[in-house]
Amino acid sequence: MSDDYKKPAFKKLLDRLQEESWQLELLISGFAIFGLFSAYPALEMKMAYHQSQNDNNLFFTLILILALSACSILIFNLLLHVLLRGLWIGALGLRYVSGDIEYDTLNYTKRFSNYLKIKVGSFDRYIARLEDYCSIIFAITFLLIFYLLALVLIIGSIATIVSVFLNGHTFRDFSTYVGIILLAFVVIGMLLTFIDFITLGYLKKKKWLSKVYFPFYWVFSIITLSFLYRPLIYNFLDNKFGKRLSLFLVPIYILLIWMTSLYYNQSNYFTFIEDSSNNISNSLNYEDMLVKESDFIKNIAINSKVISDPYVKVFIAFDKSIEDEIYRFNPSLKPKEDTRGITSEIGSMNSGSNDSSLKSDYLKTFNTLYSVEIDSTLYKTDFVLGKTVKKQNGFETYIGIKNIDEGKHMLNVKRKERKASDTISKTEVSIPFWYYPN
């Protein structure tokens, strides 16, 4: 069965499929474009939620950035492919009607006629060139998916090594040294693989370099699953046209990613995305203004900008640094093993402390760290663990305000912070609101 590719019948089958592949290309491109346009907003919302959690998880941040960048590039590639393939179909239809280009019937001057014959050439040549562009762009598009997967797997390997061998371990542990060796091997191999990739196989061409590089190449072919798509890569590298087009697309991708970061600045003084203060009210600090799916509370928020009820809700989004600060003020709460980070739902259904007294101490410590003032008046608070409608984790409390005057007020949330042996209090956020009771 594995020798079928050598038979003439199989080669004829491939030739026939090659001629008819454009139909499958268009079908796959259509489904892929639809899926990518559906996935992009979901990834943006996931990124916004991840940023709102303030967990500073570099691994997930990199994965989301890569996924969003890949979506942008793939959408661009597939749209370009559909556009060129449509142009190719149109050219075929036109060729059926009018045949080749008859430069003599155009009655141009000899100078222009000769120039067009050289630069434009025959119509069949134009169709053949469009066919080459379409096929190569389509192949590159799906090769990029494997490149992205390889990058994710490398980052995942580094994160796994750090989590298993280095997280919470000391230099007295044998596993630490194993982790350092594995991490050094993966990092060096990653750099060598990248150099070999951007130089189009330079490390494989030099005898002594190839001997050093081969062990890394063999291991990384497994880590990155490159054995699945390696024939496609080498088929590109031995084709000058494919190689030139691939190199031409790289700066376009960089430009595309840069263009997605552009926005129009309307003022010389404000960017309209500053944090709330006495002169600014950021919509991310008001729960009822988070109308888009991708809108999440930025650190701290109150229930509304204009309040008519005799109370105001204060919500503080959960942050890993909050828990670290709680440990500094109450060392007895710090567990022997830090289980925060990537984990599996399997075998972790009862994750977290089951001791209710420790949870109570945790919240008591939190309430000693945070205080709320309205117009310089300190209010008593009792924060409890809560969750917003959008499933954002945090702490919430309610403060009675029926005795304050109508109009504008400033709500300040302050947090205690330990610096060496000193304890200081700093303002985390200042949020303006207007009180007009019913």
Side-chain angles (χ1 to χ4, degrees):
M1 191 71 179
S2 59
D3 293 330
D4 283 351
Y5 70 94
K6 297 179 180 179
K7 296 179 180 178
F10 187 75
K11 293 184 180 295
K12 288 181 180 179
L13 175 63
L14 289 180
D15 290 337
R16 190 170 72 252
L17 290 174
Q18 181 178 301
E19 293 174 0
E20 299 173 356
S21 65
W22 65 272
Q23 301 172 24
L24 290 174
E25 286 180 16
L26 284 176
L27 186 65
I28 294 172
S29 292
F31 279 112
I33 290 170
F34 176 78
L36 288 167
F37 272 114
S38 301
Y40 195 86
L43 286 171
E44 280 190 317
M45 188 173 68
K46 188 68 177 177
M47 173 66 87
Y49 175 77
H50 177 68
Q51 291 174 338
S52 71
Q53 292 299 98
N54 298 314
D55 56 6
N56 301 317
N57 192 309
L58 182 62
F59 175 71
F60 281 121
T61 301
L62 285 173
I63 294 298
L64 288 170
I65 290 172
L66 286 172
L68 284 167
S69 301
C71 268
S72 300
I73 291 171
L74 291 176
I75 289 171
F76 170 80
N77 264 27
L78 291 171
L79 287 175
L80 180 61
H81 169 261
V82 171
L83 179 66
L84 291 178
R85 188 55 82 178
L87 186 61
W88 176 79
I89 294 171
L92 283 176
L94 185 60
R95 183 183 183 278
Y96 175 76
V97 174
S98 63
D100 207 342
I101 303 173
E102 299 291 342
Y103 291 102
D104 295 334
T105 62
L106 295 174
N107 292 323
Y108 291 159
T109 61
K110 187 177 180 180
R111 182 184 186 124
F112 270 100
S113 294
N114 291 336
Y115 177 82
L116 292 174
K117 286 178 182 178
I118 295 171
K119 293 297 181 181
V120 178
S122 70
F123 200 58
D124 288 354
R125 177 191 169 193
Y126 171 71
I127 293 173
R129 192 177 296 170
L130 280 177
E131 169 67 27
D132 291 341
Y133 280 127
C134 293
S135 297
I136 289 175
I137 289 173
F138 186 78
I140 287 174
T141 299
F142 288 92
L143 188 58
L144 284 171
I145 296 175
F146 285 105
Y147 284 154
L148 172 67
L149 178 62
L151 192 55
V152 170
L153 289 172
I154 291 172
I155 295 172
S157 299
I158 293 172
T160 301
I161 292 170
V162 172
S163 176
V164 174
F165 295 99
L166 301 177
N167 190 23
H169 296 203
T170 65
F171 282 100
R172 295 181 180 178
D173 300 324
F174 176 73
S175 61
T176 302
Y177 295 98
V178 174
I180 292 172
I181 293 170
L182 289 175
L183 187 62
F185 181 86
V186 171
V187 171
I188 294 171
M190 179 179 66
L191 293 174
L192 290 176
T193 303
F194 179 71
I195 292 170
D196 187 64
F197 172 73
I198 62 173
T199 57
L200 303 178
Y202 177 79
L203 299 182
K204 301 187 190 79
K205 298 174 183 178
K206 300 298 179 180
K207 189 173 182 180
W208 67 273
L209 279 175
S210 64
K211 290 181 179 179
V212 175
Y213 177 55
F214 184 78
F216 295 98
Y217 174 80
W218 184 81
V219 172
F220 270 74
S221 68
I222 298 172
I223 294 176
T224 62
L225 304 179
S226 64
F227 58 87
L228 294 174
Y229 54 89
R230 192 179 293 147
L232 199 62
I233 297 173
Y234 294 134
N235 208 343
F236 267 116
L237 294 178
D238 71 357
N239 184 286
K240 290 183 179 180
F241 181 75
K243 191 188 298 184
R244 284 200 303 266
L245 183 58
S246 301
L247 294 174
F248 175 73
L249 286 172
V250 171
I252 293 180
Y253 294 153
I254 296 172
L255 179 64
L256 182 66
I257 294 171
W258 173 74
M259 286 178 64
T260 58
S261 67
L262 297 178
Y263 71 96
Y264 184 77
N265 187 23
Q266 296 175 302
S267 170
N268 287 315
Y269 296 93
F270 301 102
T271 62
F272 298 97
I273 55 173
E274 295 102 328
D275 294 334
S276 291
S277 65
N278 188 52
N279 300 313
I280 299 167
S281 61
N282 190 313
S283 61
L284 297 180
N285 292 121
Y286 306 97
E287 275 195 88
D288 62 351
M289 296 184 71
L290 305 177
V291 292
K292 295 193 299 185
E293 288 187 358
S294 58
D295 287 341
F296 292 93
I297 291 171
K298 185 179 181 180
N299 193 17
I300 299 172
I302 60 177
N303 50 316
S304 181
K305 185 183 292 188
V306 179
I307 297 177
S308 57
D309 297 317
Y311 63 85
V312 59
K313 173 188 174 184
V314 181
F315 184 89
I316 300 176
F318 187 85
D319 187 340
K320 183 181 177 182
S321 64
I322 292 176
E323 192 158 292
D324 292 336
E325 198 67 35
I326 287 173
Y327 294 157
R328 281 190 280 271
F329 277 85
N330 192 345
S332 64
L333 289 172
K334 189 172 183 178
K336 293 180 180 178
E337 183 180 358
D338 194 339
T339 58
R340 294 176 295 181
I342 302 171
T343 187
S344 171
E345 292 181 358
I346 301 173
S348 61
M349 299 302 293
N350 296 319
S351 59
S353 174
N354 291 319
D355 192 333
S356 59
S357 63
L358 288 177
K359 293 178 179 178
S360 179
D361 289 344
Y362 186 103
L363 288 172
K364 284 179 181 177
T365 307
F366 179 87
N367 277 286
T368 61
L369 294 182
Y370 282 85
S371 59
V372 178
E373 294 180 355
I374 298 178
D375 300 331
S376 301
T377 302
L378 181 65
Y379 283 75
K380 184 179 180 181
T381 58
D382 185 15
F383 283 96
V384 297
L385 200 67
K387 192 184 292 277
T388 65
V389 176
K390 294 186 176 182
K391 309 299 182 184
Q392 192 172 354
N393 299 320
F395 306 88
E396 63 183 16
T397 190
Y398 292 82
I399 300 170
I401 56 171
K402 64 179 180 180
N403 295 323
I404 67 174
D405 297 330
E406 292 184 356
K408 180 185 175 184
H409 299 274
M410 289 297 302
L411 184 143
N412 301 304
V413 178
K414 295 188 175 181
R415 184 178 83 165
K416 291 181 182 177
E417 195 173 87
R418 185 158 287 174
K419 296 288 186 181
S421 58
D422 297 329
T423 300
I424 61 173
S425 179
K426 69 173 188 177
T427 301
E428 284 285 283
V429 69
S430 296
I431 305 173
F433 71 92
W434 285 258
Y435 178 56
Y436 293 103
N438 291 327

